Amino acid sequence: MSGPSPSPPRPPFASLALIAVIVAVVAGAFAYTAGWLSPGRLTPTKIVEAFAPPTGPALGHRRNHAKGICFTGQFEANGNGAALSRAQVFAAGQYPAIGRFNLGTPDPNAPDATVRVRGMGLQISTPDGQVWRTAMIDAPFFPVSTPKAFYGLLEASHSKDPDAMKSFIAANPEFAAFGEWAKNAPWTASYAEEPYNGLNAFLFVDGSGAEHAVRWSLRPQAPIVPITPEDLTKLGPDHLDQEITDRVAKEPQRWTLVVTVADPGDPTSDPSKAWPEGRKTVEVGTLVVQQIQAERDGPCRDINFDPTFLPNGITVSDDPFPAARSSAYARSYALRTAEVQYYPYHQQTAAGTQP
Amino acid sequence: MSSGGVRFTVLQRSLHWLMAACILAMFFIGVGMVSTVMPKYIPLLATHKTLGMAILVLALIRLVVRLRYGAPRLPADLPEPMKLAAHLSHYALYALMIAMPLIGWAMMSASAYPIVLYGGIHLPAILPQSDAVRTILWNAHHYLAFAFFALVLLHLAAALFHALVRRDGVFQSMAPGPSHDKVAAAE
């Protein structure tokens, strides 16, 4: 190795060993940072994999909320939100919106009546070049308090151990409230009759730089007509998609965007804890859904509704979920965009081209 | 492209060490952010994007400076394969310093992601949304990052080899701090 050297000769072994140690330390620190030495670390890959059914994920689709349909419309801001946030989206005016009604399932072919949680992904764009993306569900609070507990829930729900869910609930008592909601909240036969709740706490930053902890919800303006899951089953496995398509074709559908402002001391870091009644709420505008498009060629299919894509005037709070969702959504997005040739999953399977 | 001097210019050495810190940080931020679901994910991602753009600007400045001022000649007694390796690895390092931020920027664009840096700076999309293009760019960003890190380790090992074993002035030509021309004069 050593060529002729102008320096006095000395054994190169110590120098070579030192070089090897320095390189190994840098490489080792890199491996540690990458998580290769920490098999216990909760990674986005683990969370995304934990959604998959035993038969494997539906290739080309979102790893959760896989069944959905696109819409376009606009958000009509009434200007009331401008006192809470300087984001242009709250200045009175009309802003284009793209979104997606969906079911909280990793199976894009799940019959509607088998899925309890419904959701909406939404993107509102403003002329200043900013976008606000949010992904909401119809439940009024999240099932668990932490991303780690959420991973535990996914694991328990797939576990072959018959006591897995019991142990999970014992360790995560906050889940009971969600269980009550799932059991007792009315089902509806329409995406248009659902509320969609942001659940996570964010900070609105106003014109003076002051921060306000908030959560937001879309409240349906359509009258709510409860239906039993049995009757929904009779309407067909894809009733929700057909119904919203027909309904919007007749008339645009509207939701009121309501911002709830936390009182001092309200928990912002735990989306499983609803804030007490009586908090200040501000109706900041109306979402108008004007057109429905099939997901296949729809404008929403290739959008990652990452809840951390926020305009100037909204930031994340100490709620740990938006970061966890962002990293998991990024992983899911990387997977499904790489699998686009398998979309839609069902038809590819039927054609026998599924590897 | 050799200037015949024994050391890189102060500007070149400053750019080198500033970029060394930035690029090393980028590797760690990159692999750290994609393997965590913790709240630090958000600032890590914002830092990764902002630092990436800073590296792109610095790399372009550095390329111009290098073309203008050149580099000290390698020692005459350096074996030919090592000279070739030195030249090829430096071409690769320059290519990666410039390509990686551009690939990242293009990847965000092809994902229809808003590209927001620290300070609320918005970058425009440089490509239309495309799943196929995004996938190619994502793979390129991912695999080239590991190749880049391996190359930086090799570069580090070679620099230390010059400094500790050969003691031929190559390391001193890029070393920080004031001139140590006595060492280089040994050439």
Side-chain angles (χ1 to χ4, degrees):
Chain A
M1 275 293 281
S2 63
S5 165
S7 299
R10 69 169 198 170
F13 176 77
S15 297
L16 291 174
L18 179 63
I19 294 169
V21 167
I22 291 170
V23 169
V25 165
V26 178
F30 183 80
Y32 173 77
T33 310
W36 299 336
L37 310 177
S38 328
R41 183 188 299 181
L42 184 53
T43 64
T45 301
K46 274 191 196 173
I47 289 191
V48 166
E49 284 174 354
F51 276 109
T55 50
L59 300 178
H61 290 264
R62 288 164 208 269
R63 290 314 198 244
N64 192 19
H65 296 266
K67 184 177 185 180
I69 190 164
C70 297
F71 68 79
T72 51
Q74 63 184 17
F75 175 65
E76 299 172 354
N78 58 23
N80 292 343
L84 289 170
S85 167
R86 63 184 179 219
Q88 192 175 35
V89 68
F90 298 115
Q94 300 182 341
Y95 308 104
I98 294 174
R100 183 174 178 271
F101 296 108
N102 58 65
L103 295 180
T105 169
D107 176 5
N109 305 310
D112 294 343
T114 62
V115 184
R116 189 64 181 104
V117 172
R118 298 171 183 174
M120 179 198 284
L122 178 65
Q123 167 182 287
I124 305 172
S125 309
T126 43
D128 59 1
Q130 312 227 14
V131 296
W132 178 19
R133 292 188 190 174
T134 172
M136 302 163 283
I137 59 172
D138 57 350
F141 37 73
F142 201 67
V144 291
S145 295
T146 63
K148 192 162 176 281
F150 184 65
Y151 181 68
L153 173 61
L154 293 174
E155 282 201 310
S157 62
H158 287 165
S159 174
K160 292 196 173 70
D161 175 2
D163 292 329
M165 273 309 287
K166 262 187 220 162
S167 323
F168 173 82
I169 292 167
N172 298 274
E174 75 272 21
F175 184 74
F178 187 83
E180 284 298 303
W181 171 83
K183 205 164 68 180
N184 299 322
W187 289 68
T188 73
S190 176
Y191 279 129
E193 297 170 19
E194 294 291 333
Y196 298 100
N197 303 300
L199 304 188
N200 297 123
F202 290 83
L203 301 177
F204 276 11
V205 186
D206 67 24
S208 72
E211 293 175 342
H212 312 272
V214 301
R215 288 170 175 167
W216 54 75
S217 296
L218 284 171
R219 292 187 186 156
Q221 294 185 4
I224 298 167
V225 184
I227 187 174
T228 63
E230 292 72 30
D231 287 344
L232 182 59
T233 306
K234 288 176 200 149
L235 292 173
D238 302 313
H239 173 76
L240 292 175
D241 286 358
Q242 290 155 14
E243 197 277 343
I244 195 69
T245 306
D246 296 344
R247 190 190 279 238
V248 171
K250 288 193 195 96
E251 188 182 19
Q253 296 299 304
R254 291 162 192 276
W255 285 257
T256 306
L257 180 57
V258 179
V259 172
T260 303
V261 185
D263 274 5
D266 284 343
T268 51
S269 63
D270 184 351
S272 76
K273 303 276 183 298
W275 290 338
E277 289 295 317
R279 293 293 174 267
K280 177 181 161 185
T281 59
V282 183
E283 295 187 356
V284 299
T286 305
L287 173 69
V288 186
V289 171
Q290 295 162 323
Q291 283 188 310
I292 299 291
Q293 298 94 352
E295 187 188 52
R296 180 168 203 164
D297 299 309
C300 74
R301 193 194 76 180
D302 296 325
I303 293 186
N304 173 0
F305 291 101
D306 183 324
T308 67
F309 290 170
L310 301 166
N312 187 336
I314 309 179
T315 68
V316 293
S317 69
D318 60 351
D319 187 328
F321 276 95
R325 290 171 67 187
S326 181
S327 72
Y329 286 26
R331 180 69 196 150
S332 167
Y333 188 73
L335 290 168
R336 68 188 172 89
T337 49
E339 298 159 352
V340 70
Q341 70 270 31
Y342 302 115
Y343 179 94
Y345 182 62
H346 185 70
Q347 292 185 359
Q348 291 288 344
T349 306
T353 53
Q354 182 73 29
Chain B
M1 178 65 58
S2 297
S3 67
V6 292
R7 298 193 78 195
F8 285 93
T9 62
V10 172
L11 176 61
Q12 285 175 305
R13 282 181 283 142
S14 306
L15 281 168
H16 173 272
W17 290 104
L18 175 63
M19 290 191 73
C22 290
I23 291 170
L24 208 54
M26 279 300 270
F27 292 133
F28 284 83
I29 292 168
V31 293
M33 74 184 192
V34 298
S35 65
T36 186
V37 301
M38 302 298 282
K40 65 190 173 193
Y41 173 80
I42 293 173
L44 285 175
L45 188 58
T47 307
H48 191 78
K49 288 186 276 192
T50 308
L51 203 52
M53 287 303 127
I55 288 171
L56 176 61
V57 171
L58 288 171
L60 291 172
I61 292 171
R62 189 165 165 197
L63 184 65
V64 171
V65 170
R66 172 66 183 260
L67 293 174
R68 169 72 182 77
Y69 295 102
R73 257 191 285 279
L74 289 168
D77 66 348
L78 196 68
E80 282 304 321
M82 286 180 76
K83 274 188 185 161
L84 183 66
H87 287 129
L88 288 181
S89 65
H90 282 86
Y91 284 124
L93 285 167
Y94 269 92
L96 286 164
M97 284 190 288
I98 293 167
M100 284 296 280
L102 285 174
I103 292 169
W105 187 357
M107 180 178 87
M108 305 274 295
S109 305
S111 311
Y113 283 5
I115 309 162
V116 188
L117 310 183
Y118 267 122
I121 301 166
H122 278 249
L123 294 183
I126 53 174
L127 286 179
Q129 199 282 332
S130 162
D131 289 339
V133 172
R134 176 202 147 83
T135 299
I136 293 166
L137 294 170
W138 191 93
N139 283 323
H141 201 73
H142 179 82
Y143 292 108
L144 285 176
F146 290 101
F148 196 179
F149 183 66
L151 200 56
V152 165
L153 286 183
L154 197 67
H155 180 74
L156 169 68
L160 292 171
F161 185 71
H162 283 290
L164 302 175
V165 178
R166 281 186 55 90
R167 304 196 196 185
D168 55 7
V170 169
F171 179 82
Q172 281 72 18
S173 73
M174 190 52 100
S179 270
H180 304 286
D181 282 344
K182 276 179 203 154
V183 181
E187 271 185 284

